[in-house]
């Protein structure tokens, strides 16, 4: 039987596995092998000939055909991985441990960016690619190109904490984890995990860096916040386990992060090295609870964090000379902490806790190695070696992949690392690739994407979660619990003072304002940010004072690496504070950081929506107008104000003439 270029065939999995082993894939045969140029014999004795210039083995796989991912590698996967390793050089084995990052866009094949990515795939033999923000088709097409060039299949990953839209443009944003926590129903986490996994596979992604398993028990945390399911360890554990089961049941590797817990930090590890000065008993009681649940649920991967724990591993470290520190990849300014200790990503004690105490035998992946929590203290070659010595399998997004690869090779040559240790991690990654079906099919069909991604099911799930998540924390002013009905008074002149900490003033408030308009509200919207002038500030204050009610919509969101993460710009904060001083009727709505009431305690009415996703903005608008109810409850404590579980339960007004609304705490 002979297959020419472009043939679409279906052959036995064992045959394709052997082909990937002996000949590479899709036109990348090992030229020195006569077996590759003439054909190969599969495990059943069938002979396949390669007589054309390129052999492309391609078979579409539907979601129904995707197998659930199991952490324990199948016997067939281990046999394949062992056979592959025997044919690999040390350079190829070391490359399997490295995953490079890209913001995909259209790239001509002669462009410098394309050539550099190709070089990493062909010369450094990198094992994977992590995708950051980019358009759908350009991302998938570029990954397909790299899959064709790679001798071994690439493991493609992405941070999809809030669904595909976290990394792929024009797809559906699902609510943040804390919104799910506010519903009290882990079934939403399971459904969100399953949907995210199905869409990920349709987009060529096999490993998702989700769920966040951090317990957010620090209101000042600048980087986790609404990315967490909440502050109660047992509740977070329930949601983490449900997400893992949903995601891996739909055929991806789920990743619990950021081990051993990033929730009680006041420093963003994108900017510096957070230190959590707690003992093991405290970790066991709080931070580690969700990770134990994730491991018990079969999670395939755990991400370690750039966090120092001096009571667990007190190894002291010092910053590199300023001229040796890699330029920050995320941060506007770096944060240098005193008494820094070895971060969890490089600590054999902390990673050993995961391996030995938890019995975790899956893939350990570092947090991104270009984050300042690591780069302030270690060069990339040394960081790579220390991470592997500590027990990591996957080195995620090195600032300098060449240095990371070179560091591993030199460490083996010098005797710091053994080739066996490199093989241990490479085997784990290769076996996962096999069980994900990548030895059988590594290319992603473009024609399936617009049938599988961003469809009605995703929109319905987002709206359903949003409707049940929006939380009415305070309504002392009775602006929403009116004697004659629920929601804002019909016909009231509304001024929407939108305050954003992003670079998005021209569009961020559109979903909320549009929903108000569609619902018949008379609303005027002004958006303030850090660029707003004094004239704009004065104008906003004057307009607000003419309204019957002011909606202070606060887009103080997590912005990794930014100095103003979770906060509000001074311009908008000044207007809001002035209105509160004047006793203006103000409803505060947080489309992000739920703790903002601490900064504006004079707010008589306060609503939390936990994110800026369009579904959350629309749900909040409907609830404020009495067209939907408030049923969410705080999954965190507002220190000094309200305990976890607070949420005024307010039913929607049944009709414009309703005499009242049912309420309860």
């Amino acid at each position: 039987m002979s297959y020419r270029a472009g043939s679409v065939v279906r052959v036995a999995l064992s045959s394709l596995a052997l082909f990937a082993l002996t000949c590479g894939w899709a036109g990348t045969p090992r030229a020195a092998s006569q077996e590759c140029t003439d054909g190969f014999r599969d495990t059943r004795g069938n002979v396949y000939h390669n007589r054309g210039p390129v052999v492309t083995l391609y078979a579409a796989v539907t979601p129904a055909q995707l197998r659930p991912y199991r952490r324990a590698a199948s016997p067939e996967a281990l046999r394949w991985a062992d056979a592959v390793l025997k044919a690999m050089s040390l350079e190829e084995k070391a490359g399997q441990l490295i995953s490079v990052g890209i913001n995909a866009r259209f790239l001509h094949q002669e462009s410098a960016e394309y050539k550099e990515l190709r070089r990493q795939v062909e010369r450094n033999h990198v094992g994977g690619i992590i995708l950051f923000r980019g358009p759908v088709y350009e991302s998938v097409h570029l990954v397909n190109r790299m899959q064709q060039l790679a001798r071994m299949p690439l493991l493609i990953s992405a941070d999809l904490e809030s669904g595909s839209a976290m990394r792929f443009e024009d797809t559906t944003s699902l609510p943040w984890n804390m919104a799910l926590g506010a519903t009290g129903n882990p079934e939403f986490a399971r459904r969100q995990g399953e949907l995210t996994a199905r869409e990920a596979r349709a987009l060529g992604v096999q490993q998702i860096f989700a769920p966040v398993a951090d317990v957010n028990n620090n209101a000042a945390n600048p980087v986790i916040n609404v990315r967490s399911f909440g502050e109660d360890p047992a509740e977070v554990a329930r949601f983490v386990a449900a997400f893992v089961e949903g995601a891996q049941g739909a055929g991806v590797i789920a990743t619990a992060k950021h081990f051993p817990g990033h929730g009680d930090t006041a420093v963003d590890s994108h900017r510096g090295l957070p230190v959590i000065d707690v003992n093991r008993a405290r970790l066991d009681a709080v931070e580690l609870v969700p990770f134990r649940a994730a491991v018990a649920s079969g999670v395939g991967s755990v991400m370690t964090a750039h966090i120092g724990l001096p009571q667990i591993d007190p190894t002291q470290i010092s910053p590199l000379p300023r001229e040796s520190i890699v330029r920050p990849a995320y941060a506007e300014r770096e944060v240098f902490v005193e008494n820094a200790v070895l971060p969890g990503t490089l600590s054999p004690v902390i990673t050993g806790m995961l391996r030995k105490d938890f019995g975790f035998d899956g893939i350990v992946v570092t947090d991104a190695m270009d984050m300042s929590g690591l780069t302030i203290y270690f060069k990339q070659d040394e960081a790579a070696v220390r991470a592997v010595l500590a027990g990591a399998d996957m080195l995620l997004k090195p600032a300098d992949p060449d240095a990371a690869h070179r560091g591993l090779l030199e460490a083996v040559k010098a005797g710091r690392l053994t080739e066996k240790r490199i093989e241990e991690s490479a085997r784990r990654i290769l076996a996962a690739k096999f069980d994900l079906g990548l030895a059988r099919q590594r290319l992603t069909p473009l024609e399936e994407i617009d049938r599988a991604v961003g469809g009605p099911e995703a929109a319905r799930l987002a709206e359903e979660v949003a409707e049940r998540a929006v939380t009415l924390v305070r309504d002392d002013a009775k602006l929403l619990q009116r004697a004659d009905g629920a929601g804002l008074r019909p016909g009231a002149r509304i001024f929407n003072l939108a305050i954003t900490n992003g670079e998005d003033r021209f569009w961020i408030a559109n979903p909320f304002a549009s929903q108000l308009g569609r619902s018949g509200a008379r609303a005027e919207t002004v958006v303030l940010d850090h660029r707003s002038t004094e004239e704009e500030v004065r104008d906003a204050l004057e307009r607000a004072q003419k309204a019957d009610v002011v909606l202070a919509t606060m887009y103080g969101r997590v912005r990794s690496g930014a100095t103003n993460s979770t906060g509000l710009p001074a311009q908008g904060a000044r207007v809001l504070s002035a209105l509160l001083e004047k006793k203006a009727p103000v409803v505060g709505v947080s489309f992000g950081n739920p703790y903002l009431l601490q900064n504006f305690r004079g707010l008589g009415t306060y609503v939390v929506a936990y994110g800026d996703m369009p579904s959350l903005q629309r749900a909040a608008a409907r609830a404020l107008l009495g067209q939907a109810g408030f049923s969410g409850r705080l999954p965190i404590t507002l220190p000094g104000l309200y305990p976890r579980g607070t949420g005024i339960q307010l039913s929607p007004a049944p009709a414009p003439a309703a005499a009242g609304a049912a309420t309860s705490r």
Side-chain angles (χ1 to χ4, degrees):
M1 186 182 295
S2 179
Y3 298 126
R4 295 289 176 175
S7 297
V8 178
V9 298
R10 288 177 173 81
V11 298
L13 180 59
S14 56
S15 302
L16 288 172
L18 182 57
F19 179 77
L21 163 64
T22 57
C23 302
W25 198 271
T28 57
R30 297 169 62 198
S33 172
Q34 186 66 29
E35 181 183 15
C36 291
T37 56
D38 289 347
F40 69 93
R41 185 183 303 274
D42 71 9
T43 55
R44 296 180 180 179
N46 299 315
V47 177
Y48 298 85
H49 296 284
N50 173 14
R51 304 299 186 191
V54 175
V55 173
T56 302
L57 300 180
Y58 178 86
V61 176
T62 66
Q65 294 173 307
L66 290 172
R67 297 178 180 176
Y69 181 78
R70 309 295 184 202
R71 182 169 72 229
S74 67
E76 191 173 14
L78 293 175
R79 286 195 297 271
W80 181 80
D82 289 338
V84 166
L85 283 169
K86 289 179 181 177
M88 294 175 79
S89 65
L90 174 62
E91 289 76 11
E92 290 172 313
K93 295 171 188 174
Q96 286 297 304
L97 279 60
I98 296 172
S99 184
V100 296
I102 59 171
N103 288 86
R105 59 188 180 86
F106 172 78
L107 294 176
H108 191 280
Q109 292 192 22
E110 293 301 316
S111 67
E113 291 173 81
Y114 182 93
K115 287 182 176 179
E116 172 57 20
L117 182 58
R118 179 172 184 165
R119 186 180 70 82
Q120 292 297 335
V121 170
E122 292 185 325
R123 291 185 56 186
N124 281 346
H125 314 286
V126 295
I129 293 173
I130 174 174
L131 293 173
F132 289 86
R133 191 73 177 166
V136 167
Y137 287 102
E138 284 85 345
S139 299
V140 178
H141 176 72
L142 185 59
V143 165
N144 277 346
R145 285 287 191 220
M146 295 304 115
Q147 290 283 27
Q148 289 176 315
L149 294 169
R151 179 174 175 238
M152 288 293 117
L154 298 167
L155 180 60
I156 309 302
S157 60
D159 291 287
L160 301 184
E161 299 168 24
S162 58
S164 300
M166 189 165 177
R167 291 295 180 253
F168 294 91
E169 297 171 4
D170 302 317
T171 58
T172 301
S173 288
L174 301 177
W176 286 115
N177 286 345
M178 196 170 284
L180 276 71
T183 71
N185 186 358
E187 177 63 13
F188 284 127
R190 188 200 62 76
R191 289 171 58 191
Q192 193 150 309
E194 181 181 351
L195 177 69
T196 300
R198 291 205 313 265
E199 291 196 348
R201 292 306 303 257
L203 292 162
V205 173
Q206 305 90 29
Q207 180 176 20
I208 60 174
F209 295 132
V212 171
D214 303 315
V215 177
N216 200 84
N217 54 357
N218 187 333
N221 195 317
V223 66
I224 301 302
N225 200 271
V226 293
R227 298 167 63 196
S228 165
F229 288 109
E231 73 176 19
D232 181 77
E235 278 296 289
V236 173
R238 287 206 306 147
F239 281 83
V240 165
F243 186 98
V244 168
E245 290 165 3
Q248 295 198 168
V252 301
I253 303 176
T255 305
K257 62 183 186 184
H258 309 79
F259 188 86
H262 207 317
D264 193 10
T265 61
V267 173
D268 181 351
S269 51
H270 295 85
R271 299 183 62 206
L273 180 65
V275 175
I276 303 179
D277 193 9
V278 300
N279 60 26
R280 176 62 189 269
R282 152 60 193 267
L283 287 177
D284 282 331
V286 180
E287 282 83 2
L288 297 179
V289 173
F291 289 99
R292 287 190 186 278
V295 173
S297 297
V299 73
S301 177
V302 173
M303 178 182 287
T304 53
H306 307 312
I307 296 174
L309 289 98
Q311 295 190 47
I312 307 300
D313 187 343
T315 306
Q316 294 281 317
I317 58 174
S318 300
L320 295 168
R322 284 279 185 172
E323 64 274 12
S324 300
I325 297 175
V326 174
R327 184 175 179 272
Y330 309 91
E332 298 166 357
R333 290 200 305 269
E334 297 159 315
V335 175
F336 289 80
V337 299
E338 296 182 3
N339 302 317
V341 296
L342 197 64
T345 39
L346 310 187
S347 169
V349 177
I350 293 172
T351 306
M353 186 164 56
L354 176 63
R355 290 285 192 208
K356 297 174 185 176
D357 297 359
F358 285 35
F360 179 71
D361 56 356
I363 296 171
V364 173
V365 53
T366 68
D367 207 344
M369 297 188 67
D370 60 351
M371 293 165 63
S372 294
L374 189 66
T375 60
I376 288 173
Y377 304 95
F378 295 96
K379 294 183 177 180
Q380 292 290 282
D381 51 354
E382 178 66 12
V385 173
R386 284 179 177 248
V388 174
L389 284 170
D393 300 304
M394 183 184 298
L395 306 175
L396 188 65
K397 197 174 179 279
D400 185 347
D402 291 347
H405 191 247
R406 182 177 63 251
L408 296 179
L409 300 179
E410 291 178 352
V412 173
K413 183 178 180 180
R416 287 185 69 192
L417 273 174
T418 65
E419 186 167 355
K420 182 180 179 181
R421 172 66 191 89
I422 299 291
E423 286 181 353
E424 177 187 326
S425 289
R427 183 179 191 250
R428 194 172 276 127
I429 291 169
L430 287 166
K433 292 177 180 181
F434 186 93
D435 279 336
L436 288 163
L438 291 173
R440 177 165 54 99
Q441 178 188 332
R442 65 172 77 179
L443 301 182
T444 300
L446 298 178
E447 66 273 13
E448 297 294 325
I449 295 173
D450 59 1
R451 288 193 285 266
V453 177
E457 182 184 357
R460 284 194 300 270
L461 178 58
E463 298 291 338
E464 192 176 348
V465 171
E467 182 121 346
R468 288 161 174 77
V470 177
T471 305
L472 179 57
V473 177
R474 172 192 284 177
D475 191 26
D476 296 346
K478 301 301 180 184
L479 295 177
L480 301 178
Q481 300 175 95
R482 296 178 292 107
D484 59 344
L488 298 173
R489 178 171 59 81
R493 291 175 300 167
I494 299 171
F495 181 76
N496 177 30
L497 172 65
I499 309 169
T500 176
N501 68 348
E503 306 293 332
D504 48 16
R505 63 184 296 179
F506 296 113
W507 63 85
I508 186 58
N510 288 351
F512 182 73
S514 297
Q515 184 64 47
L516 291 177
R518 283 194 299 270
S519 300
R522 299 165 55 196
E524 177 187 11
T525 296
V526 170
V527 184
L528 298 179
D529 66 4
H530 70 96
R531 299 165 294 183
S532 296
T533 65
E534 286 302 312
E535 182 179 354
E536 289 173 320
V537 169
R538 286 193 300 270
D539 180 65
L541 184 57
E542 290 174 6
R543 289 171 183 263
Q545 290 175 290
K546 296 175 183 178
D548 296 324
V549 64
V550 176
L551 301 180
T553 49
M554 299 173 284
Y555 298 85
R557 296 148 296 167
V558 173
R559 298 183 62 230
S560 298
T563 56
N564 67 341
S565 180
T566 73
L568 296 178
Q571 292 90 325
R574 286 208 318 270
V575 174
L576 177 53
S577 296
L579 290 170
L580 295 178
E581 288 177 9
K582 296 176 184 294
K583 306 299 182 183
V586 180
V587 177
V589 185
S590 176
F591 287 121
N593 181 6
Y595 302 99
L596 288 175
L597 183 60
Q598 293 181 290
N599 302 330
F600 303 99
R601 296 186 178 221
L603 283 168
T605 302
Y606 184 59
V607 174
V608 180
Y610 308 100
D612 63 359
M613 288 74 178
S615 59
L616 291 167
Q617 295 198 50
R618 290 190 293 265
R622 291 192 296 268
L624 289 167
L625 296 176
Q627 297 172 358
F630 288 95
S631 60
R633 294 186 183 274
L634 286 175
I636 44 89
T637 295
L638 300 185
L641 292 168
Y642 294 98
R644 180 179 67 87
T646 296
I648 300 172
Q649 305 296 288
L650 183 60
S651 300
T663 65
S664 65
R665 284 280 180 182

